[in-house]
Amino acid sequence: MNTSTTAQTSQPDSIDFRSVVNHVATSLVPFAEEYVNTSQLDDAIAGLKRLNCGVFRLVVMGEIKKGKSSFINAFLSEPELLPTDSDIATSIVFKILYGPKKQFKVFFFDDGETGQPVAPLVVQPDQLMDYGTEKGNPNNEKRVDFIAVELPNPLLQSGLVIVDTPGVGGLFKAHRDITWRFAPNADAILFVVDSVESVMSADEIAFLRDLTEKFAVKLLFVQTKIDAASEELWRGWEDRNKTILKSELGLTDDRIVYFPVSASTKNFADEEFDLEELEDSGYPPLMRFVAQTLLPSKERFLAAKAAVDWARIASKVSHEMDIRLSLASETTSGKIQEIETQRREAISKFNDWELNIFKPLVASTNETVGKISRDSLDELESLLQPSGNLLADFVSAYRGFTADEMQENLKMIQQDFMERCAEASKEVFDKFSSGFENAVGQAQKALNVKATGDVSGSGSSHSRDIQFRKVTTLDLSSTSVFESTRNIAFAGVAGYYLSSMVISAIFPPVGALSLVAAAFGLYGASETGRVMAENRNAQAFTKLRGILADQLSQVRRSVVRDFEDRADKCSKGLNGLFEAATSQMRADLQRDLDDAKAAAGRTHAESQEVVAKLRAEMMLVGKHLTELRRAFPTMKA
Amino acid sequence: MLVFDLNDVQQYVKKVCDEIPGLLGRHSITSDLVAQVTGLRADIDKPFTVAIVGQMRVGKSSLINALLEKDIAITGVTETTATVNWIHHGTDPNIARVHWRDRPPETIPRGELDKWTGDSELAANTRSIELFDDAAFLKIASIVDTPGLRSVIAAHESATESFIGINGANDKNAERCADQTQQLGLQADAIVYVIMPVARETDDQFLDAFRNATRLPGSSNYNSIAVLHKWETLNTDDLLDERDRKASKIAASLSEHLATVLPVSAPLARAVFSLNDRHWQTILELGKPDNDSIREKMLRHERAFVRELPECSVAVAERKDLLLLGVPWPSLRTIIGIAANVQGTSINELRQRVRAISQIDDLKQILEQRFFSRSRAIKMLRLTTRASQPCQLAMTRLQNETEKLKTNLNRSSNVLALLQQRIELGDTDLQSVVRHTQESQQVIESQLEKLTDTLETLGERFETLQTIHDGCDGDLAGIEAIAESQLDELPAELRDTLRYVFGQHGVSVGERMRGLHRSRNPSEAIVELVGTLRGYVDKGSPRTHHTCQHAIDRLEQLYHHIELSGQREKIAS
Ligand SMILES: Nc1nc2c(ncn2[C@@H]2O[C@H](COP(=O)(O)OP(=O)(O)OP(=O)(O)O)[C@@H](O)[C@H]2O)c(=O)[nH]1
Ligand SMILES: Nc1nc2c(ncn2[C@@H]2O[C@H](COP(=O)(O)OP(=O)(O)OP(=O)(O)O)[C@@H](O)[C@H]2O)c(=O)[nH]1
Ligand SMILES: [Mg+2]
Ligand SMILES: [Mg+2]
């Protein structure tokens, strides 16, 4: 089979990334509990959990009747699993995941009237049609959210979840929305085209363009039903489709992962254990790709992220052990006394610093942030004021239009206006987030300047220097911290914030507003003969402005609410960060002092023992750190 | 009366087309509408035009070739047809005439046309291409092959849309099309919409736009039929039943837009005239019971078909030969399947069977019945729609203007009264103002007169156009109802008479009257017939009611027509 998988050089997986990270993490946990503050440890453990549960959502999408469900069935060697038909079939999202026995579970939306959750229902295979297809459940009158299919299939055991979606482009327009809703949850999208109906259409390209603009998601292409076309034709279509993807979506050759397959042929091959048919079905390269490149790529990514966390923990642990070790190596009680005194001073210095420098800085940063958010809020409110310029400027463009034209294009005008609002609000949001970033950056700089002094240890009298604790080591130094704060606040809204979230989540649907228009009586006034045209146009214009103003105040309410939420999260996130940083420092200083007290009470032999134990532990941690670095060579030191 | 005889009607529409630009041009507020009727006049004498439309790759060009039994239209693997291609009646199938956008037309050898396919520069520069064939039906109607819809080559869809006379049915190329439409404008009288077994949202949108462009609100769907194509790609055992089910389903979901949906297969029809006896012999052999056990396996896909199979009585080389004939693989598979079902027949019988299943002859018959024989009525429907739309718009504008002028006139009368009072009080300086106002009043009054005059003429034309439109619509509905056996409550003889009245056998007065009793004086025969029909109006189905009512309207028009010409004769003699 001629596929472009060769371009996806899958690196040989001699290293099992997941088990490396797991092994290191398990041995580090007892030390981390002693030396690292809990929130950092919790984060690292959560990352580990994500890695270990290893879910990979492969979402299958495409236009109606391309053969999506059949493709999945053949992939899993279960020809009867999902309902397929030559008429519109799938009308609900199906999630297929690993389970000890085959089982279909229907999940429902909350009850429409009472708002109560509805318990999921286990159904028999022959009942699937009644819940998951347009025939059995027209217009989703049964209010099904999705259907979970559990299957004891080894292909799914590694955490692969395959999602089947309704086809887009048919006469049931709601299906597109159901499918679309699922895009953000995808780790990869497998887009199905066929070898029977046509090469890729403008509608398919528009759909894909929308998809890739909003979600940075991996795309795979499957051209199915190759059994139903001559080889000349399906290869011709494959080439043409790739050309289209290149010219229309700007994909490069190496980013086009494309598999021609036949579900029918795969089913025959399974039935008859016929290897020749299996090759002809085109499935083997696809399955190899999924197992060897696609799934491991996510695992590698998650493992690398976890590795960074644990490497950081390992460094911290060995650093702390080193401090301990140098104390334990001191032999004279005078020296130990001296260290104890120094450490007491360090604590009081730290307290001073916290009180006189840090706290005021936090307060002023908070104040700045507060001001920025109040300003932005004001700006938003006045921007979206129905009496403001936004509306006036927008609506003035329609002054010359006739009533009929306005009426005809109302929906479009409203949509335009919505986008205009979204754009304008986005500017404010953007301004806020850069202002926020700035304020935090200022705080960081101030800390570096004002707190150059050491908090602990003079270091002068030691042969093996205790490393100093400087306030600048407060974990505010890396820019990634700010990013993470912003992420808390904006939840990764950066690029697609405007188009997808604002419009769909915050802004009310246009359909609802058209009703407003109807109520205003813009529709159906046919007494044109009597009413003077200009008068009517002017009236219509006024009404248009009224409708848009109404729309705007709805928008304003929800945008402002949304902004308040986000700003609140930002400042909470920032304070959490400050808090975490100082609490770690306080804990470290306290431990230093306790150590010194303990050392004062030890006999020589006991000290020897402590030193030996620490040395051994440090070796071990060092070994783990090296192990991580070897497995993830790209990781920064 | 002229609304009855379509020959007269045609003259009338011509007259209106000549007259309306002048009427609209008289007033600045309506002069922009002139452009909408200019192309119309030339359109009246053009042959009836049937456009073959549908999404790319659905087999439109193949279908045309199957109808002509000759490879005239170019077909291909990826998006092919890139220009609007007219097929006219003519004797030289080896030439093509290219109508450029920017220079005079040019005749080229037909063989060069493949340079005009796909994403081609030449095509972008070409307005349309004419091809010629001597098939008899082309004398009545020209066929037009169009570029496929939904292609990523945006120019394809816009070329088709502007030819059909709709602007951006899918809201994509609206602006770009607008000016082209005015030049090319609305050239299709009827369409054959080629559709895959499952209807899409885009099919609905396109048909909707076509309907709005060619018919007034409330009229019926006589100018579009659909062909269900590529049905042999359906993955099922009961292929023929399934295709018929699919056809009814599409007919039901798009019933507003389509008069009928007929499954056809172009490749099957083409195979009948393009495969030779030896090929058919091979196919018969493959269908024999000896091959039963391996046939299913062999037909799974093309590669399986040409594998070495010791059990198969047909050598690999012969099977490979079959793949070289330009018959799409699913069609070939279907033909072999048909051979297996009609075992023990001759190759000629097999040919006949394949031809019957292709339903190409049914399509020809439907085209003849629905389009060609009703072409005059359908054409009038479209022309009257196109002519009335600008008239209606103009009337609205002119009426508004009239109101405005009347208000102004009122106002100035009030002003004059005031001025008069002042003058009576001795303010003689105001005399000149009064004169000025009176002069303005006169100007307005003469303007008003002109407006009223135009309005009156337009109103009269508009009403007549509407009557013609509704008459044609009613005729078509009546013919349809009789053909579909929906009027079986009426005696057969009466139905025959009505066919004549509705113009099925000719649209002149003479032809329409041929169904009446010859022995009687025509006026009496009409009166009697109307009486009979009245008896049916109030009983029976709504269909019967509507049809009889329409027949009565028609007969009344006929009666007036006869009386009028009788009087004219009297006066003349
Ligand atoms: N010949 C052939 N037919 C196929 C193949 N895969 C699917 N089909 C047929 O294509 C039709 C549609 O298949 P489905 O799997 O229901 O398609 P779908 O994309 O899931 O359809 P919706 O969910 O309704 O959008 C069915 O009639 C299948 O039999 C294939 O590999 N070869
Ligand atoms: N399976 C099958 N293939 C067909 C059928 N009709 C045409 N084809 C194939 O489909 C492809 C398209 O045929 P065309 O006739 O060029 O299609 P078209 O609708 O004119 O395409 P455009 O000009 O691009 O819009 C060709 O490869 C034909 O061989 C059919 O009934 N069944
Ligand atoms: Mg499906
Ligand atoms: Mg074509």
Side-chain angles (χ1 to χ4, degrees):
Chain A
M1 289 280 141
N2 160 28
T3 70
S4 57
T5 45
T6 42
Q8 298 280 320
T9 46
S10 56
Q11 82 187 58
D13 294 63
S14 47
I15 311 173
D16 178 350
F17 297 98
R18 199 199 308 184
S19 59
V20 170
V21 178
N22 270 308
H23 172 231
V24 170
T26 333
S27 358
L28 284 178
V29 166
F31 302 121
E33 280 171 346
E34 184 163 3
Y35 296 111
V36 176
N37 82 8
T38 40
S39 77
Q40 194 182 349
L41 183 58
D42 288 348
D43 282 354
I45 288 174
L48 201 62
K49 276 195 185 135
R50 265 200 301 282
L51 168 64
N52 287 337
C53 88
V55 166
F56 191 101
R57 285 188 210 80
L58 181 64
V59 179
V60 179
M61 293 185 176
E63 291 199 329
I64 49 161
K65 298 289 55 117
K66 295 291 183 181
K68 299 175 289 300
S69 307
S70 309
F71 162 77
I72 297 174
N73 290 349
F75 184 88
L76 296 168
S77 302
E78 292 264 350
E80 309 289 333
L81 187 68
L82 300 173
T84 66
D85 192 23
S86 60
D87 244 305
I88 306 289
T90 316
S91 63
I92 292 293
V93 167
F94 285 76
K95 297 183 196 172
I96 309 156
L97 62 163
Y98 187 81
K101 70 179 218 295
K102 195 196 270 191
Q103 178 173 287
F104 301 91
K105 217 180 210 172
V106 181
F107 288 79
F108 298 90
F109 290 115
D110 292 349
D111 189 291
E113 276 149 32
T114 63
Q116 293 299 308
V118 178
L121 188 70
V122 174
V123 301
Q124 296 308 308
D126 59 348
Q127 292 174 288
L128 272 189
M129 297 274 285
D130 302 340
Y131 295 94
T133 68
E134 199 59 45
K135 257 190 206 126
N137 179 11
N139 299 321
N140 195 11
E141 58 192 16
K142 295 181 181 142
R143 299 180 53 79
V144 177
D145 185 0
F146 65 90
I147 299 177
V149 181
E150 288 178 15
L151 205 64
N153 186 313
L155 287 169
L156 304 173
Q157 214 157 9
S158 61
L160 177 64
V161 176
I162 301 181
V163 181
D164 190 16
T165 61
V168 299
L171 293 176
F172 300 108
K173 291 172 192 141
H175 287 184
R176 185 192 155 102
D177 299 337
I178 297 179
T179 297
W180 195 249
R181 243 192 19 230
F182 232 77
N185 299 326
D187 288 308
I189 287 174
L190 188 147
F191 193 79
V192 178
V193 297
D194 75 359
S195 315
V196 167
E197 187 176 13
S198 73
V199 295
M200 285 190 118
S201 67
D203 301 320
E204 280 167 311
I205 290 297
F207 181 83
L208 285 169
R209 194 174 283 144
D210 233 13
L211 203 64
T212 47
E213 271 169 13
K214 284 176 190 152
F215 312 103
V217 63
K218 276 199 184 60
L219 276 180
L220 273 65
F221 297 91
V222 159
Q223 176 186 335
T224 184
K225 306 194 194 177
I226 58 171
D227 64 291
S230 70
E231 190 152 340
E232 185 202 356
L233 187 125
W234 67 253
R235 284 199 190 280
W237 286 16
E238 177 183 1
D239 290 344
R240 175 70 183 139
N241 285 342
K242 286 180 179 168
T243 310
I244 291 175
L245 288 172
K246 275 184 260 179
S247 67
E248 301 294 316
L249 289 186
L251 295 183
T252 46
D253 263 325
D254 58 328
R255 294 230 3 241
I256 301 180
V257 189
Y258 193 103
F259 301 94
V261 303
S262 160
S264 305
T265 310
K266 169 74 160 59
N267 289 340
F268 290 131
D270 283 342
E271 212 172 285
E272 295 161 13
F273 299 104
D274 185 330
L275 288 179
E276 201 174 10
E277 291 269 301
L278 185 64
E279 275 314 313
D280 284 344
S281 77
Y283 269 79
L286 165 67
M287 301 179 86
R288 270 198 298 277
F289 177 80
V290 171
Q292 294 176 0
T293 309
L294 196 62
L295 299 183
S297 74
K298 178 169 180 188
E299 184 171 306
R300 247 198 326 274
F301 176 72
L302 287 178
K305 254 171 71 182
V308 171
D309 290 347
W310 289 98
R312 205 178 274 154
I313 288 178
S315 313
K316 167 86 175 154
V317 166
S318 82
H319 177 80
E320 294 301 329
M321 283 176 162
D322 201 26
I323 293 174
R324 245 183 202 182
L325 186 62
S326 52
L327 173 73
S329 314
E330 291 297 341
T331 42
T332 64
S333 59
K335 278 269 166 66
I336 294 176
Q337 286 279 308
E338 194 184 317
I339 291 175
E340 195 184 326
T341 320
Q342 274 172 9
R343 290 183 172 182
R344 275 187 208 286
E345 281 169 15
I347 289 183
S348 77
K349 244 182 178 177
F350 173 78
N351 288 341
D352 272 1
W353 172 84
E354 194 181 24
L355 193 68
N356 298 321
I357 297 178
F358 189 70
K359 285 261 164 71
L361 195 75
V362 169
S364 81
T365 307
N366 270 329
E367 201 171 298
T368 317
V369 169
K371 179 159 170 15
I372 295 170
S373 35
R374 275 190 310 276
D375 285 354
S376 299
L377 194 62
D378 285 349
E379 197 175 338
L380 257 187
E381 289 203 315
S382 70
L383 178 78
L384 300 178
Q385 186 66 251
S387 60
N389 285 341
L390 184 71
L391 176 61
D393 289 350
F394 181 87
V395 83
S396 69
Y398 293 93
R399 201 174 285 279
F401 284 53
T402 67
D404 290 333
E405 284 163 337
M406 283 186 247
Q407 175 174 333
E408 244 163 57
N409 296 312
L410 182 61
K411 217 170 176 163
M412 206 192 68
I413 298 175
Q414 287 184 310
Q415 216 129 31
D416 260 13
F417 185 53
M418 204 82 88
E419 272 174 32
R420 180 77 199 83
C421 294
E423 247 167 61
S425 345
K426 182 181 180 274
E427 272 167 32
V428 181
F429 274 73
D430 280 352
K431 216 158 97 190
F432 169 74
S433 78
S434 69
F436 177 72
E437 205 173 328
N438 222 346
V440 182
Q442 293 290 329
Q444 180 193 8
K445 242 198 243 149
L447 275 180
N448 281 335
V449 175
K450 286 186 195 160
T452 45
D454 301 340
V455 173
S456 119
S458 67
S460 53
S461 57
H462 301 283
S463 46
R464 279 197 78 252
D465 279 345
I466 293 172
Q467 273 134 0
F468 307 132
R469 298 192 184 283
K470 298 183 175 168
V471 281
T472 46
T473 59
L474 279 188
D475 201 7
L476 285 176
S477 48
S478 74
T479 45
S480 73
V481 172
F482 302 112
E483 259 156 37
S484 68
T485 329
R486 255 178 64 202
N487 280 344
I488 306 169
F490 288 93
V493 290
Y496 81 96
Y497 182 77
L498 158 79
S499 29
S500 113
M501 291 197 45
V502 172
I503 293 189
S504 66
I506 309 181
F507 289 67
V510 172
L513 291 160
S514 302
L515 290 180
V516 180
F520 270 95
L522 254 188
Y523 294 118
S526 64
E527 6 72 286
T528 29
R530 263 166 284 117
V531 185
M532 268 171 54
E534 272 168 27
N535 221 344
R536 186 164 168 260
N537 294 347
Q539 272 173 7
F541 180 78
T542 318
K543 276 177 192 163
L544 177 70
R545 190 165 46 202
I547 289 165
L548 293 180
D550 214 59
Q551 179 177 345
L552 188 57
S553 45
Q554 280 189 43
V555 164
R556 180 155 158 260
R557 268 198 297 281
S558 42
V559 172
V560 163
R561 200 179 315 122
D562 184 67
F563 178 84
E564 284 170 345
D565 272 6
R566 287 170 196 279
D568 193 43
K569 268 196 203 144
C570 269
S571 85
K572 282 212 181 98
L574 181 61
N575 284 319
L577 220 66
F578 283 140
E579 172 55 33
T582 48
S583 74
Q584 175 77 59
M585 175 73 103
R586 197 177 299 114
D588 288 345
L589 289 169
Q590 189 59 47
R591 189 175 51 245
D592 288 351
L593 181 61
D594 292 348
D595 279 355
K597 282 191 200 153
R602 270 189 217 124
T603 66
H604 179 70
E606 281 166 344
S607 300
Q608 289 296 309
E609 212 172 291
V610 172
V611 168
K613 185 164 164 265
L614 273 172
R615 287 233 163 93
E617 284 174 354
M618 276 180 76
M619 284 265 292
L620 187 71
V621 172
K623 211 183 88 208
H624 287 321
L625 193 57
T626 321
E627 199 179 341
L628 279 181
R629 295 225 164 101
R630 196 176 304 133
F632 301 93
T634 51
M635 191 163 66
K636 278 185 233 127
Chain B
M1 216 209 222
L2 59 82
V3 291
F4 192 58
D5 189 318
L6 291 196
N7 295 324
D8 294 350
V9 164
Q10 189 159 335
Q11 291 310 313
Y12 177 79
V13 175
K14 260 187 203 170
K15 193 184 106 194
V16 173
C17 288
D18 287 337
E19 177 192 36
I20 286 180
L23 285 171
L24 300 181
R26 281 172 79 183
H27 308 275
S28 60
I29 49 167
T30 52
S31 54
D32 62 311
L33 297 173
V34 173
Q36 291 190 23
V37 267
T38 34
L40 196 56
R41 174 67 168 82
D43 219 11
I44 298 176
D45 291 323
K46 281 206 187 126
F48 187 74
T49 303
V50 179
I52 316 292
V53 200
Q55 70 161 292
M56 53 164 178
R57 305 293 76 217
V58 71
K60 300 176 290 300
S61 304
S62 307
L63 192 67
I64 290 179
N65 292 340
L67 282 171
L68 300 172
E69 301 194 8
K70 225 175 278 164
D71 290 343
I72 294 275
I74 296 187
T75 62
V77 172
T78 57
E79 303 97 314
T80 306
T81 313
T83 48
V84 168
N85 299 340
W86 292 78
I87 300 160
H88 291 307
H89 189 263
T91 46
D92 192 352
N94 295 317
I95 57 159
R97 214 167 150 66
V98 179
H99 294 264
W100 299 101
R101 290 194 187 284
D102 54 358
R103 55 200 134 116
E106 194 180 331
T107 303
I108 57 161
R110 204 193 69 91
E112 283 183 24
L113 276 188
D114 45 11
K115 293 192 206 135
W116 267 260
T117 59
D119 207 349
S120 135
E121 286 278 327
L122 287 175
N125 222 351
T126 301
R127 184 166 307 171
S128 66
I129 292 174
E130 281 179 279
L131 296 163
F132 305 93
D133 186 73
D134 58 4
F137 67 83
L138 291 178
K139 284 185 191 161
I140 307 168
S142 295
I143 300 285
V144 177
D145 191 11
T146 61
L149 307 172
R150 298 220 312 144
S151 166
V152 291
I153 309 171
H156 285 193
E157 182 154 313
S158 64
T160 298
E161 286 181 348
S162 62
F163 169 75
I164 298 296
I166 55 182
N167 292 343
N170 303 333
D171 279 338
K172 266 178 280 172
N173 310 305
E175 272 172 47
R176 194 146 41 89
C177 284
D179 58 329
Q180 286 179 24
T181 312
Q182 308 244 304
Q183 300 164 15
L184 275 174
L186 295 151
Q187 301 193 35
D189 294 292
I191 54 171
V192 175
Y193 193 79
V194 189
I195 193 169
M196 287 284 292
V198 178
R200 305 180 150 277
E201 192 181 346
T202 43
D203 296 325
D204 189 35
Q205 286 166 344
F206 182 88
L207 290 169
D208 199 42
F210 179 68
R211 171 181 135 119
N212 290 338
T214 57
R215 303 195 301 265
L216 289 179
S219 62
S220 13
N221 49 19
Y222 305 107
N223 58 354
S224 15
I225 63 169
V227 158
L228 173 66
H229 208 224
K230 288 185 42 174
W231 48 262
E232 15 63 273
T233 59
L234 283 168
N235 193 19
T236 168
D237 293 333
D238 57 345
L239 196 51
L240 296 187
D241 292 338
E242 183 64 16
R243 71 166 195 195
D244 293 339
R245 277 195 291 274
K246 286 281 176 299
S248 347
K249 183 136 191 182
I250 292 172
S253 60
L254 299 174
S255 62
E256 271 180 79
H257 302 312
L258 295 169
T260 186
V261 181
L262 178 76
V264 177
S265 170
L268 258 54
R270 184 178 174 277
V272 173
F273 66 82
S274 70
L275 269 54
N276 66 28
D277 287 359
R278 198 171 49 81
H279 301 136
W280 286 108
Q281 198 58 55
T282 314
I283 291 171
L284 263 188
E285 186 64 34
L286 285 168
K288 282 194 175 151
D290 320 359
N291 293 319
D292 275 357
S293 58
I294 48 163
R295 195 168 42 242
E296 188 223 341
K297 238 181 157 136
M298 217 166 31
L299 294 185
R300 278 179 193 171
H301 49 92
E302 201 188 43
R303 275 191 207 172
F305 185 62
V306 292
R307 251 175 221 151
E308 284 293 350
L309 292 167
E311 313 95 300
C312 183
S313 63
V314 177
V316 173
E318 283 177 69
R319 282 181 261 146
K320 278 192 175 148
D321 271 355
L322 289 181
L323 293 181
L324 302 175
L325 302 170
V327 182
W329 164 249
S331 315
L332 182 62
R333 187 171 64 177
T334 307
I335 294 175
I336 297 172
I338 296 172
N341 276 333
V342 293
Q343 281 168 9
T345 53
S346 68
I347 56 175
N348 266 337
E349 280 166 323
L350 177 57
R351 272 205 182 102
Q352 287 321 308
R353 183 78 193 122
V354 171
R355 184 175 185 126
I357 290 177
S358 83
Q359 305 214 103
I360 193 75
D361 295 318
D362 305 62
L363 176 60
K364 283 184 187 165
Q365 200 185 344
I366 284 185
L367 285 175
E368 163 58 32
Q369 275 179 1
R370 288 193 181 269
F371 288 167
F372 304 159
S373 74
R374 305 178 200 172
S375 61
R376 295 286 292 281
I378 293 177
K379 187 152 189 152
M380 281 313 134
L381 210 63
R382 184 173 71 79
L383 290 173
T384 47
T385 303
R386 255 192 85 193
S388 13
Q389 279 162 350
C391 287
Q392 193 174 26
L393 203 58
M395 281 158 62
T396 313
R397 292 193 196 164
L398 294 175
Q399 250 149 16
N400 290 340
E401 184 69 10
T402 313
E403 296 296 326
K404 202 160 102 187
L405 292 184
K406 279 189 184 151
T407 316
N408 284 346
L409 214 53
N410 264 340
R411 258 193 229 134
S412 62
S413 304
N414 293 343
V415 170
L416 271 181
L418 280 175
L419 290 172
Q420 287 303 344
Q421 277 177 14
R422 299 289 311 176
I423 290 169
E424 274 161 28
L425 291 175
D427 222 346
T428 45
D429 288 354
L430 288 178
Q431 282 295 3
S432 65
V433 182
V434 167
R435 250 197 321 282
H436 177 76
T437 312
Q438 278 166 339
E439 274 162 22
S440 320
Q441 244 182 358
Q442 273 159 16
V443 173
I444 294 180
E445 267 161 7
S446 80
Q447 264 178 1
L448 254 180
E449 216 167 287
K450 203 167 109 187
L451 276 177
T452 320
D453 180 55
T454 313
L455 261 175
E456 219 165 80
T457 322
L458 271 181
E460 196 269 323
R461 302 295 180 268
F462 178 72
E463 211 166 287
T464 316
L465 287 172
Q466 197 116 29
T467 317
I468 297 172
H469 180 277
D470 294 349
C472 290
D473 190 36
D475 284 352
L476 289 168
I479 296 173
E480 175 81 7
I482 297 173
E484 299 279 304
S485 320
Q486 286 167 336
L487 295 187
D488 288 355
E489 299 162 63
L490 307 183
E493 205 185 324
L494 182 56
R495 275 181 277 148
D496 281 340
T497 309
L498 291 186
R499 279 203 189 96
Y500 278 100
V501 173
F502 293 152
Q504 185 170 354
H505 305 294
V507 289
S508 67
V509 167
E511 286 162 323
R512 289 187 194 245
M513 276 171 37
R514 235 180 270 151
L516 299 175
H517 284 293
R518 296 280 172 75
S519 51
R520 300 267 180 82
N521 160 326
S523 304
E524 282 170 22
I526 291 174
V527 173
E528 187 191 320
L529 187 54
V530 169
T532 317
L533 287 169
R534 286 242 158 78
Y536 288 98
V537 166
D538 293 327
K539 45 182 193 188
S541 64
R543 210 56 281 159
T544 311
H545 168 84
H546 286 302
T547 314
C548 291
Q549 189 57 54
H550 174 69
I552 292 171
D553 292 348
R554 279 311 211 183
L555 288 167
E556 278 168 0
Q557 291 167 356
L558 184 57
Y559 185 85
H560 288 302
H561 180 87
I562 294 168
E563 292 286 292
L564 213 64
S565 44
Q567 280 170 15
R568 253 191 240 124
E569 268 163 35
K570 260 187 216 151
I571 294 165
S573 60

